[in-house]
Amino acid sequence: MAQLKSGYIPSLDGLRTVSIGIVFAAHAGLGRVVPGGFGVTIFFFISGFLITTLLCREQDRYGAFYLRRLLRLTPPLVLALALGIGLVWLGYLPHVLDPMTLISQFFFFFNYYTVYGTPYAIPGTGVLWSLSVEEHFYLIWPALFVLFAAGRLKTGWIWVFLALFPLWRAVRHYGFGMSSETIYYLSDTRLDSLLFGCALALMIWRGQIPALVERPAVRNGTLLLALAGILISFLWRSEDFRAVARYSLQGLALMPIFFYALTRPDLAIFRPLNWGWMRWLGVWSYSIYLVHQMMIVAFASDRLPPLVSAALAAGAAILWAALLYRFVELPFARLRAHLTGHMTPAAPRAAP
């Protein structure tokens, strides 16, 4: 586990690739068989794990953390919105340009504006609701983390917080009549998807994972139970379950999967996560996520088979993300390093 406390974290970029692959497949027409929302939940888990790992590594540099997040997330978002506006003007996307919706997307309240306002989003930019959830979490968690770092809150308290979320979702669902679809979008009902990742990071950092989990029989049994839990979360179609308990079950199931993927990348089931191309797609996954649905809409055509349109959209999104990484993200990474002292990450290489 020492590698998780410094340097590159194995399998993390590969897991990002898995999540963007799930989301893309769902948006490309396979939504009936591919649970796209679960891909977003994986993204949330990764964000929670990563933010907590970074805070544990640099407990005295919270200001630097916020500056890094700003410089990391904002340039690709601005360019994605600019791309959407350009595609509308050029006629590749339906003409939908609403200033208030764009403001809500840029200032990260689009998820609430989607539910309580009247949004007219550029086709393909509806996915930006999830950025609102993440940014709201970024505002809350570092301040709360100070209490954990100072020892004023024990790790066990995070489980108390996690238990409150399904209770609050029950209040939202049964008390306010909120549907599972609405609960899916709101920060106050979804932040626990990130908090599960935080819980795993804290447990690893503080050495609270029992040695028993390294035994092959325990590892295999735990992974089977985790996969069964995720499968149940897909198949159990009850509106009450989907509104109240689904995200708790998925978060619990993802914890052992992530733990073993990160600490045992040598296992056959996790080895593909560390292939070079998987890691590169993971590095580009944020920018791919921002534009992938716009590309799907732009390349949709009655003259092309759906599979060809999807392939063109995927290629365009990957090309956009690769160019953005080379000419925007790397320069901003150097700027982040200059301003905060945080080193620019090395380019991915294939695992040995």
Side-chain angles (χ1 to χ4, degrees):
M1 297 184 196
Q3 190 169 357
L4 302 186
K5 298 187 177 183
S6 62
Y8 181 80
I9 301 175
S11 302
L12 200 62
D13 285 326
L15 288 164
R16 286 190 178 109
T17 300
V18 171
S19 58
I20 188 58
I22 292 173
V23 172
F24 184 92
H27 287 157
L30 298 177
R32 289 183 176 273
V33 294
V34 177
F38 181 62
V40 176
T41 298
I42 296 175
F43 267 128
F44 284 161
F45 191 103
I46 291 172
S47 293
F49 180 87
L50 188 57
I51 184 179
T52 305
T53 300
L54 293 175
L55 288 171
C56 285
R57 288 178 179 179
E58 303 180 16
Q59 293 184 11
D60 59 340
R61 304 180 65 189
Y62 303 114
F65 168 82
Y66 281 115
L67 182 58
R68 285 202 309 273
R69 289 290 88 192
L70 179 66
L71 294 174
R72 168 70 180 92
L73 299 176
T74 304
L77 173 61
V78 170
L79 290 172
L81 289 173
L83 175 66
I85 293 171
L87 290 174
V88 168
W89 283 344
L90 292 172
Y92 290 101
L93 293 177
H95 195 277
V96 179
L97 288 177
D98 176 54
M100 189 60 202
T101 300
L102 290 170
I103 290 171
S104 73
Q105 292 174 326
F106 183 77
F107 288 102
F108 305 112
F109 62 93
F110 180 52
N111 60 336
Y112 283 93
Y113 190 59
T114 296
V115 172
Y116 297 111
T118 310
Y120 293 96
I122 296 170
T125 64
V127 298
L128 299 184
W129 71 270
S130 63
L131 270 65
S132 300
V133 177
E134 293 202 22
E135 288 303 314
H136 298 160
F137 189 79
Y138 291 157
L139 292 175
I140 298 170
W141 176 245
L144 190 60
F145 177 83
V146 173
L147 300 177
F148 284 99
R152 296 179 183 177
L153 285 178
K154 302 298 182 183
T155 308
W157 273 100
I158 203 169
W159 294 102
V160 176
F161 300 148
L162 285 168
L164 293 176
F165 276 93
L167 295 177
W168 176 240
R169 283 193 288 267
V171 171
R172 285 286 218 172
H173 179 58
Y174 296 113
F176 296 96
M178 191 168 283
S179 69
S180 63
E181 182 178 357
T182 301
I183 284 172
Y184 174 74
Y185 288 106
L186 299 182
S187 299
D188 60 282
T189 53
R190 290 303 311 275
L191 289 182
D192 58 330
S193 294
L194 292 95
L195 198 55
F196 276 106
C198 299
L200 177 61
L202 279 177
M203 292 172 68
I204 290 175
W205 193 266
R206 293 185 170 179
Q208 295 174 338
I209 306 293
L212 180 68
V213 302
E214 297 294 341
R215 296 181 181 178
V218 174
R219 180 179 66 234
N220 295 338
T222 303
L223 285 173
L224 284 175
L225 283 175
L227 292 173
I230 290 173
L231 184 61
I232 290 171
S233 77
F234 297 159
L235 299 179
W236 195 346
R237 308 302 296 177
S238 161
E239 174 71 4
D240 293 340
F241 169 77
R242 292 170 65 82
V244 176
R246 171 174 45 161
Y247 306 115
S248 296
L249 178 58
Q250 289 179 348
L252 286 170
L254 284 174
M255 289 185 75
I257 293 173
F258 266 73
F259 173 75
Y260 289 117
L262 301 177
T263 60
R264 293 298 310 273
D266 58 304
L267 294 176
I269 190 174
F270 300 125
R271 209 172 295 151
L273 296 174
N274 296 280
W275 291 345
W277 67 270
M278 287 283 285
R279 292 171 64 180
W280 269 116
L281 288 177
V283 170
W284 300 333
S285 61
Y286 173 57
S287 294
I288 294 173
Y289 180 77
L290 293 178
V291 304
H292 78 278
Q293 200 169 20
M294 279 192 284
M295 296 301 184
I296 290 172
V297 175
F299 279 95
S301 172
D302 295 334
R303 293 173 293 181
L304 293 174
L307 187 60
V308 174
S309 296
L312 290 172
I318 292 171
L319 178 61
W320 166 268
L323 292 173
L324 210 65
Y325 177 79
R326 172 64 180 85
F327 295 107
V328 177
E329 293 190 50
L330 282 181
F332 269 90
R334 289 190 285 270
L335 177 62
R336 293 200 305 270
H338 175 71
L339 294 176
T340 68
H342 188 262
M343 294 180 62
T344 302
R349 294 177 298 176

PDB file of all heavy atoms in Angstrom, residues 99-121:
ATOM      1  N   PRO A  99     -28.405  31.698 -22.183  1.00  0.00           N
ATOM      2  CA  PRO A  99     -27.378  32.250 -21.287  1.00  0.00           C
ATOM      3  C   PRO A  99     -27.475  31.732 -19.856  1.00  0.00           C
ATOM      4  O   PRO A  99     -26.457  31.404 -19.236  1.00  0.00           O
ATOM      5  CB  PRO A  99     -27.620  33.761 -21.347  1.00  0.00           C
ATOM      6  CG  PRO A  99     -28.268  33.978 -22.679  1.00  0.00           C
ATOM      7  CD  PRO A  99     -29.112  32.765 -22.911  1.00  0.00           C
ATOM      8  N   MET A 100     -28.685  31.625 -19.302  1.00  0.00           N
ATOM      9  CA  MET A 100     -28.819  31.193 -17.917  1.00  0.00           C
ATOM     10  C   MET A 100     -28.359  29.750 -17.732  1.00  0.00           C
ATOM     11  O   MET A 100     -27.722  29.404 -16.735  1.00  0.00           O
ATOM     12  CB  MET A 100     -30.274  31.340 -17.461  1.00  0.00           C
ATOM     13  CG  MET A 100     -30.470  31.109 -15.968  1.00  0.00           C
ATOM     14  SD  MET A 100     -29.499  32.284 -14.983  1.00  0.00           S
ATOM     15  CE  MET A 100     -29.374  31.411 -13.428  1.00  0.00           C
ATOM     16  N   THR A 101     -28.673  28.910 -18.720  1.00  0.00           N
ATOM     17  CA  THR A 101     -28.212  27.520 -18.628  1.00  0.00           C
ATOM     18  C   THR A 101     -26.687  27.451 -18.691  1.00  0.00           C
ATOM     19  O   THR A 101     -26.058  26.708 -17.926  1.00  0.00           O
ATOM     20  CB  THR A 101     -28.831  26.685 -19.761  1.00  0.00           C
ATOM     21  OG1 THR A 101     -30.248  26.713 -19.650  1.00  0.00           O
ATOM     22  CG2 THR A 101     -28.354  25.240 -19.688  1.00  0.00           C
ATOM     23  N   LEU A 102     -26.094  28.228 -19.592  1.00  0.00           N
ATOM     24  CA  LEU A 102     -24.631  28.254 -19.680  1.00  0.00           C
ATOM     25  C   LEU A 102     -24.011  28.747 -18.377  1.00  0.00           C
ATOM     26  O   LEU A 102     -22.988  28.219 -17.918  1.00  0.00           O
ATOM     27  CB  LEU A 102     -24.196  29.145 -20.843  1.00  0.00           C
ATOM     28  CG  LEU A 102     -24.477  28.599 -22.251  1.00  0.00           C
ATOM     29  CD1 LEU A 102     -24.219  29.676 -23.291  1.00  0.00           C
ATOM     30  CD2 LEU A 102     -23.621  27.373 -22.530  1.00  0.00           C
ATOM     31  N   ILE A 103     -24.622  29.751 -17.758  1.00  0.00           N
ATOM     32  CA  ILE A 103     -24.121  30.257 -16.470  1.00  0.00           C
ATOM     33  C   ILE A 103     -24.203  29.163 -15.407  1.00  0.00           C
ATOM     34  O   ILE A 103     -23.269  28.965 -14.627  1.00  0.00           O
ATOM     35  CB  ILE A 103     -24.923  31.505 -16.044  1.00  0.00           C
ATOM     36  CG1 ILE A 103     -24.580  32.686 -16.952  1.00  0.00           C
ATOM     37  CG2 ILE A 103     -24.642  31.863 -14.584  1.00  0.00           C
ATOM     38  CD1 ILE A 103     -25.469  33.897 -16.751  1.00  0.00           C
ATOM     39  N   SER A 104     -25.318  28.447 -15.381  1.00  0.00           N
ATOM     40  CA  SER A 104     -25.470  27.384 -14.380  1.00  0.00           C
ATOM     41  C   SER A 104     -24.444  26.276 -14.593  1.00  0.00           C
ATOM     42  O   SER A 104     -23.960  25.665 -13.629  1.00  0.00           O
ATOM     43  CB  SER A 104     -26.887  26.810 -14.437  1.00  0.00           C
ATOM     44  OG  SER A 104     -27.093  25.996 -15.580  1.00  0.00           O
ATOM     45  N   GLN A 105     -24.087  26.009 -15.836  1.00  0.00           N
ATOM     46  CA  GLN A 105     -23.088  24.983 -16.116  1.00  0.00           C
ATOM     47  C   GLN A 105     -21.696  25.446 -15.726  1.00  0.00           C
ATOM     48  O   GLN A 105     -20.904  24.681 -15.165  1.00  0.00           O
ATOM     49  CB  GLN A 105     -23.143  24.600 -17.597  1.00  0.00           C
ATOM     50  CG  GLN A 105     -24.417  23.863 -17.983  1.00  0.00           C
ATOM     51  CD  GLN A 105     -24.538  23.624 -19.468  1.00  0.00           C
ATOM     52  OE1 GLN A 105     -24.114  24.439 -20.293  1.00  0.00           O
ATOM     53  NE2 GLN A 105     -25.124  22.491 -19.849  1.00  0.00           N
ATOM     54  N   PHE A 106     -21.389  26.708 -16.009  1.00  0.00           N
ATOM     55  CA  PHE A 106     -20.050  27.219 -15.717  1.00  0.00           C
ATOM     56  C   PHE A 106     -19.841  27.419 -14.222  1.00  0.00           C
ATOM     57  O   PHE A 106     -18.739  27.193 -13.705  1.00  0.00           O
ATOM     58  CB  PHE A 106     -19.814  28.538 -16.453  1.00  0.00           C
ATOM     59  CG  PHE A 106     -18.440  29.096 -16.251  1.00  0.00           C
ATOM     60  CD1 PHE A 106     -17.360  28.559 -16.921  1.00  0.00           C
ATOM     61  CD2 PHE A 106     -18.217  30.146 -15.366  1.00  0.00           C
ATOM     62  CE1 PHE A 106     -16.071  29.054 -16.723  1.00  0.00           C
ATOM     63  CE2 PHE A 106     -16.947  30.646 -15.157  1.00  0.00           C
ATOM     64  CZ  PHE A 106     -15.873  30.107 -15.848  1.00  0.00           C
ATOM     65  N   PHE A 107     -20.879  27.813 -13.512  1.00  0.00           N
ATOM     66  CA  PHE A 107     -20.745  28.082 -12.079  1.00  0.00           C
ATOM     67  C   PHE A 107     -21.267  26.937 -11.209  1.00  0.00           C
ATOM     68  O   PHE A 107     -21.496  27.097 -10.008  1.00  0.00           O
ATOM     69  CB  PHE A 107     -21.451  29.395 -11.710  1.00  0.00           C
ATOM     70  CG  PHE A 107     -20.722  30.620 -12.201  1.00  0.00           C
ATOM     71  CD1 PHE A 107     -21.159  31.285 -13.335  1.00  0.00           C
ATOM     72  CD2 PHE A 107     -19.582  31.077 -11.551  1.00  0.00           C
ATOM     73  CE1 PHE A 107     -20.486  32.412 -13.812  1.00  0.00           C
ATOM     74  CE2 PHE A 107     -18.907  32.192 -12.017  1.00  0.00           C
ATOM     75  CZ  PHE A 107     -19.349  32.862 -13.144  1.00  0.00           C
ATOM     76  N   PHE A 108     -21.465  25.791 -11.798  1.00  0.00           N
ATOM     77  CA  PHE A 108     -21.681  24.540 -11.075  1.00  0.00           C
ATOM     78  C   PHE A 108     -22.947  24.523 -10.209  1.00  0.00           C
ATOM     79  O   PHE A 108     -22.913  24.041  -9.074  1.00  0.00           O
ATOM     80  CB  PHE A 108     -20.452  24.208 -10.217  1.00  0.00           C
ATOM     81  CG  PHE A 108     -19.169  24.156 -10.984  1.00  0.00           C
ATOM     82  CD1 PHE A 108     -18.189  25.110 -10.779  1.00  0.00           C
ATOM     83  CD2 PHE A 108     -18.944  23.169 -11.933  1.00  0.00           C
ATOM     84  CE1 PHE A 108     -16.999  25.092 -11.500  1.00  0.00           C
ATOM     85  CE2 PHE A 108     -17.756  23.133 -12.661  1.00  0.00           C
ATOM     86  CZ  PHE A 108     -16.789  24.103 -12.442  1.00  0.00           C
ATOM     87  N   PHE A 109     -24.055  25.008 -10.754  1.00  0.00           N
ATOM     88  CA  PHE A 109     -25.339  24.740 -10.107  1.00  0.00           C
ATOM     89  C   PHE A 109     -26.325  24.192 -11.135  1.00  0.00           C
ATOM     90  O   PHE A 109     -27.528  24.260 -10.969  1.00  0.00           O
ATOM     91  CB  PHE A 109     -25.892  25.985  -9.394  1.00  0.00           C
ATOM     92  CG  PHE A 109     -26.186  27.180 -10.272  1.00  0.00           C
ATOM     93  CD1 PHE A 109     -27.455  27.382 -10.800  1.00  0.00           C
ATOM     94  CD2 PHE A 109     -25.198  28.117 -10.549  1.00  0.00           C
ATOM     95  CE1 PHE A 109     -27.733  28.487 -11.602  1.00  0.00           C
ATOM     96  CE2 PHE A 109     -25.466  29.227 -11.346  1.00  0.00           C
ATOM     97  CZ  PHE A 109     -26.742  29.416 -11.869  1.00  0.00           C
ATOM     98  N   PHE A 110     -25.787  23.610 -12.186  1.00  0.00           N
ATOM     99  CA  PHE A 110     -26.611  23.091 -13.277  1.00  0.00           C
ATOM    100  C   PHE A 110     -27.491  21.938 -12.814  1.00  0.00           C
ATOM    101  O   PHE A 110     -28.611  21.767 -13.313  1.00  0.00           O
ATOM    102  CB  PHE A 110     -25.706  22.646 -14.431  1.00  0.00           C
ATOM    103  CG  PHE A 110     -26.439  22.092 -15.625  1.00  0.00           C
ATOM    104  CD1 PHE A 110     -27.471  22.798 -16.222  1.00  0.00           C
ATOM    105  CD2 PHE A 110     -26.088  20.863 -16.165  1.00  0.00           C
ATOM    106  CE1 PHE A 110     -28.143  22.293 -17.330  1.00  0.00           C
ATOM    107  CE2 PHE A 110     -26.744  20.352 -17.268  1.00  0.00           C
ATOM    108  CZ  PHE A 110     -27.782  21.081 -17.850  1.00  0.00           C
ATOM    109  N   ASN A 111     -27.024  21.125 -11.856  1.00  0.00           N
ATOM    110  CA  ASN A 111     -27.852  20.003 -11.407  1.00  0.00           C
ATOM    111  C   ASN A 111     -29.137  20.494 -10.740  1.00  0.00           C
ATOM    112  O   ASN A 111     -30.226  19.964 -10.979  1.00  0.00           O
ATOM    113  CB  ASN A 111     -27.079  19.062 -10.497  1.00  0.00           C
ATOM    114  CG  ASN A 111     -26.544  19.716  -9.244  1.00  0.00           C
ATOM    115  OD1 ASN A 111     -26.330  20.935  -9.190  1.00  0.00           O
ATOM    116  ND2 ASN A 111     -26.307  18.923  -8.207  1.00  0.00           N
ATOM    117  N   TYR A 112     -29.043  21.532  -9.913  1.00  0.00           N
ATOM    118  CA  TYR A 112     -30.247  22.064  -9.279  1.00  0.00           C
ATOM    119  C   TYR A 112     -31.088  22.868 -10.277  1.00  0.00           C
ATOM    120  O   TYR A 112     -32.324  22.849 -10.208  1.00  0.00           O
ATOM    121  CB  TYR A 112     -29.875  22.926  -8.068  1.00  0.00           C
ATOM    122  CG  TYR A 112     -29.493  22.075  -6.873  1.00  0.00           C
ATOM    123  CD1 TYR A 112     -28.170  21.737  -6.631  1.00  0.00           C
ATOM    124  CD2 TYR A 112     -30.470  21.583  -6.023  1.00  0.00           C
ATOM    125  CE1 TYR A 112     -27.815  20.940  -5.560  1.00  0.00           C
ATOM    126  CE2 TYR A 112     -30.137  20.781  -4.936  1.00  0.00           C
ATOM    127  CZ  TYR A 112     -28.807  20.460  -4.711  1.00  0.00           C
ATOM    128  OH  TYR A 112     -28.476  19.659  -3.648  1.00  0.00           O
ATOM    129  N   TYR A 113     -30.427  23.542 -11.190  1.00  0.00           N
ATOM    130  CA  TYR A 113     -31.162  24.286 -12.209  1.00  0.00           C
ATOM    131  C   TYR A 113     -31.922  23.323 -13.123  1.00  0.00           C
ATOM    132  O   TYR A 113     -33.019  23.623 -13.590  1.00  0.00           O
ATOM    133  CB  TYR A 113     -30.205  25.148 -13.024  1.00  0.00           C
ATOM    134  CG  TYR A 113     -30.887  26.134 -13.948  1.00  0.00           C
ATOM    135  CD1 TYR A 113     -31.751  27.094 -13.447  1.00  0.00           C
ATOM    136  CD2 TYR A 113     -30.673  26.101 -15.316  1.00  0.00           C
ATOM    137  CE1 TYR A 113     -32.387  27.999 -14.288  1.00  0.00           C
ATOM    138  CE2 TYR A 113     -31.296  27.001 -16.172  1.00  0.00           C
ATOM    139  CZ  TYR A 113     -32.150  27.952 -15.648  1.00  0.00           C
ATOM    140  OH  TYR A 113     -32.784  28.842 -16.472  1.00  0.00           O
ATOM    141  N   THR A 114     -31.345  22.143 -13.346  1.00  0.00           N
ATOM    142  CA  THR A 114     -32.021  21.119 -14.150  1.00  0.00           C
ATOM    143  C   THR A 114     -33.320  20.684 -13.499  1.00  0.00           C
ATOM    144  O   THR A 114     -34.329  20.444 -14.180  1.00  0.00           O
ATOM    145  CB  THR A 114     -31.095  19.900 -14.339  1.00  0.00           C
ATOM    146  OG1 THR A 114     -29.938  20.297 -15.082  1.00  0.00           O
ATOM    147  CG2 THR A 114     -31.800  18.773 -15.081  1.00  0.00           C
ATOM    148  N   VAL A 115     -33.317  20.576 -12.162  1.00  0.00           N
ATOM    149  CA  VAL A 115     -34.491  20.085 -11.435  1.00  0.00           C
ATOM    150  C   VAL A 115     -35.485  21.209 -11.135  1.00  0.00           C
ATOM    151  O   VAL A 115     -36.693  21.044 -11.301  1.00  0.00           O
ATOM    152  CB  VAL A 115     -34.061  19.398 -10.125  1.00  0.00           C
ATOM    153  CG1 VAL A 115     -35.270  19.044  -9.263  1.00  0.00           C
ATOM    154  CG2 VAL A 115     -33.252  18.145 -10.431  1.00  0.00           C
ATOM    155  N   TYR A 116     -34.968  22.359 -10.723  1.00  0.00           N
ATOM    156  CA  TYR A 116     -35.852  23.418 -10.239  1.00  0.00           C
ATOM    157  C   TYR A 116     -35.998  24.589 -11.207  1.00  0.00           C
ATOM    158  O   TYR A 116     -36.817  25.481 -10.968  1.00  0.00           O
ATOM    159  CB  TYR A 116     -35.342  23.939  -8.893  1.00  0.00           C
ATOM    160  CG  TYR A 116     -35.357  22.897  -7.807  1.00  0.00           C
ATOM    161  CD1 TYR A 116     -34.165  22.382  -7.290  1.00  0.00           C
ATOM    162  CD2 TYR A 116     -36.560  22.413  -7.298  1.00  0.00           C
ATOM    163  CE1 TYR A 116     -34.169  21.425  -6.288  1.00  0.00           C
ATOM    164  CE2 TYR A 116     -36.577  21.451  -6.305  1.00  0.00           C
ATOM    165  CZ  TYR A 116     -35.377  20.961  -5.795  1.00  0.00           C
ATOM    166  OH  TYR A 116     -35.395  20.008  -4.810  1.00  0.00           O
ATOM    167  N   GLY A 117     -35.222  24.630 -12.273  1.00  0.00           N
ATOM    168  CA  GLY A 117     -35.294  25.720 -13.228  1.00  0.00           C
ATOM    169  C   GLY A 117     -35.892  25.273 -14.545  1.00  0.00           C
ATOM    170  O   GLY A 117     -36.608  24.266 -14.630  1.00  0.00           O
ATOM    171  N   THR A 118     -35.584  26.045 -15.582  1.00  0.00           N
ATOM    172  CA  THR A 118     -36.042  25.717 -16.939  1.00  0.00           C
ATOM    173  C   THR A 118     -34.838  25.733 -17.869  1.00  0.00           C
ATOM    174  O   THR A 118     -34.596  26.698 -18.596  1.00  0.00           O
ATOM    175  CB  THR A 118     -37.093  26.737 -17.422  1.00  0.00           C
ATOM    176  OG1 THR A 118     -38.107  26.890 -16.429  1.00  0.00           O
ATOM    177  CG2 THR A 118     -37.742  26.266 -18.723  1.00  0.00           C
ATOM    178  N   PRO A 119     -34.030  24.677 -17.834  1.00  0.00           N
ATOM    179  CA  PRO A 119     -32.793  24.676 -18.622  1.00  0.00           C
ATOM    180  C   PRO A 119     -33.036  24.403 -20.103  1.00  0.00           C
ATOM    181  O   PRO A 119     -33.941  23.637 -20.459  1.00  0.00           O
ATOM    182  CB  PRO A 119     -31.990  23.534 -17.997  1.00  0.00           C
ATOM    183  CG  PRO A 119     -33.031  22.599 -17.475  1.00  0.00           C
ATOM    184  CD  PRO A 119     -34.187  23.455 -17.026  1.00  0.00           C
ATOM    185  N   TYR A 120     -32.251  25.058 -20.932  1.00  0.00           N
ATOM    186  CA  TYR A 120     -32.210  24.786 -22.372  1.00  0.00           C
ATOM    187  C   TYR A 120     -30.738  24.571 -22.727  1.00  0.00           C
ATOM    188  O   TYR A 120     -30.056  25.469 -23.202  1.00  0.00           O
ATOM    189  CB  TYR A 120     -32.819  25.944 -23.169  1.00  0.00           C
ATOM    190  CG  TYR A 120     -34.293  26.120 -22.943  1.00  0.00           C
ATOM    191  CD1 TYR A 120     -34.759  27.035 -22.013  1.00  0.00           C
ATOM    192  CD2 TYR A 120     -35.220  25.339 -23.644  1.00  0.00           C
ATOM    193  CE1 TYR A 120     -36.124  27.185 -21.786  1.00  0.00           C
ATOM    194  CE2 TYR A 120     -36.590  25.489 -23.424  1.00  0.00           C
ATOM    195  CZ  TYR A 120     -37.025  26.410 -22.498  1.00  0.00           C
ATOM    196  OH  TYR A 120     -38.372  26.566 -22.269  1.00  0.00           O
ATOM    197  N   ALA A 121     -30.277  23.370 -22.442  1.00  0.00           N
ATOM    198  CA  ALA A 121     -28.859  23.079 -22.581  1.00  0.00           C
ATOM    199  C   ALA A 121     -28.500  22.771 -24.028  1.00  0.00           C
ATOM    200  O   ALA A 121     -29.304  22.190 -24.783  1.00  0.00           O
ATOM    201  CB  ALA A 121     -28.466  21.906 -21.695  1.00  0.00           C
TER     202      ALA A 121
END
